[in-house]
Amino acid sequence: EAGVTQFPSHSVIEKGQTVTLRCDPISGHDNLYWYRRVMGKEIKFLLHFVKESKQDESGMPNNRFLAERTGGTYSTLKVQPAELEDSGVYFCASSRTIYTQYFGPGTRLTVL
Amino acid sequence: QKEVEQNSGPLSVPEGAIASLNCTYSDRGSQSFFWYRQYSGKSPELIMFIYSNGDKEDGRFTAQLNKASQYVSLLIRDSQPSDSATYLCAGGADAGGTSYGKLTFGQGTILTVHP
């Protein structure tokens, strides 16, 4: 069974630019989550999809972040415009049940 | 006060010893708790979850939960150098609420097992 995949693995952009991160969950997993870890801090929850619907987006920091999940399959997280404080590692996770979230390798985002 | 607190370590134990990792949480609504292992530059990997008071054992790992004391621990018996990693404690939200899928992580404890 293939794991959660994320693309790109690294992204370096300038402040004010737009970046789109992609996550492909494990096949058959209806639940998809986005988390973020900024330097020196703990991993923080951003949002949770169930199929194509946003179940919980309480962790989204502001309206510069837009997450979508087309047809309940892959998901994208767009940051527009990017700010310096958006730098960090963005993890995607998926699960069949709430007890076993499988994490992807993460996308390291650097905003200069 | 952080919602989930861990001693950042590093915790250093000799090979073959028991490593004890601890975690406290502030949200009494948390119903389930998770231990993840993360090797440097890799993704967090789920080791165990626990949602009932008491102990849960899986191979060399034992998770312990004490809801009255709001305390979770992970014991690793017969520690091996390959267990050297960062161990993340996470609390799950109330399963009946909107945020039932949300995990709240601690900062992680760095464990080093030396030969």
Side-chain angles (χ1 to χ4, degrees), chain B residues 67-78:
Chain B
K67 291 187 178 181
S69 299
Q70 295 178 249
Y71 177 88
V72 192
S73 66
L74 180 70
L75 301 178
I76 305 175
R77 289 181 299 281
D78 187 25

Side-chain angles (χ1 to χ4, degrees), chain A residues 6-100:
Chain A
Q6 293 186 246
F7 183 83
S9 57
H10 293 86
S11 180
V12 180
I13 61 172
E14 294 196 349
K15 176 181 172 180
Q17 289 187 320
T18 297
V19 63
T20 301
L21 314 180
R22 173 170 170 146
C23 168
D24 285 80
I26 294 172
S27 178
H29 283 193
D30 287 339
N31 296 283
L32 186 148
Y33 315 82
W34 284 98
Y35 292 86
R36 175 174 75 171
R37 186 169 200 165
V38 298
M39 183 78 75
K41 301 286 188 181
E42 64 274 17
I43 295 174
K44 281 199 178 276
F45 169 85
L46 295 178
L47 88 160
H48 170 201
F49 282 101
V50 177
K51 297 185 179 179
E52 67 276 8
S53 299
K54 292 176 184 174
Q55 168 65 31
D56 179 8
E57 50 185 334
S58 63
M60 294 288 265
N62 52 60
N63 58 11
R64 296 186 294 104
F65 289 75
L66 175 64
E68 295 179 323
R69 188 177 184 193
T70 307
T73 55
Y74 71 91
S75 174
T76 58
L77 180 64
K78 182 192 291 188
V79 185
Q80 179 183 30
E83 298 289 345
L84 299 178
E85 64 264 25
D86 301 332
S87 295
V89 181
Y90 289 76
F91 290 105
C92 174
S94 73
S95 70
R96 199 184 304 275
T97 73
I98 63 171
Y99 290 119
T100 50

Side-chain angles (χ1 to χ4, degrees), chain A residues 35 37 40 55-56 99 101 104, chain B residues 34 36 43 98-99 101 103 107:
Chain A
Y35 292 86
R37 186 169 200 165
Q55 168 65 31
D56 179 8
Y99 290 119
Q101 294 187 24
Chain B
F34 304 81
Y36 282 82
S43 57
T98 304
S99 297
L103 295 180
Q107 280 202 286

Side-chain angles (χ1 to χ4, degrees), chain B residues 57-72:
Chain B
E57 188 175 315
D58 184 0
R60 296 187 296 114
F61 299 96
T62 299
Q64 299 174 317
L65 174 60
N66 184 324
K67 291 187 178 181
S69 299
Q70 295 178 249
Y71 177 88
V72 192

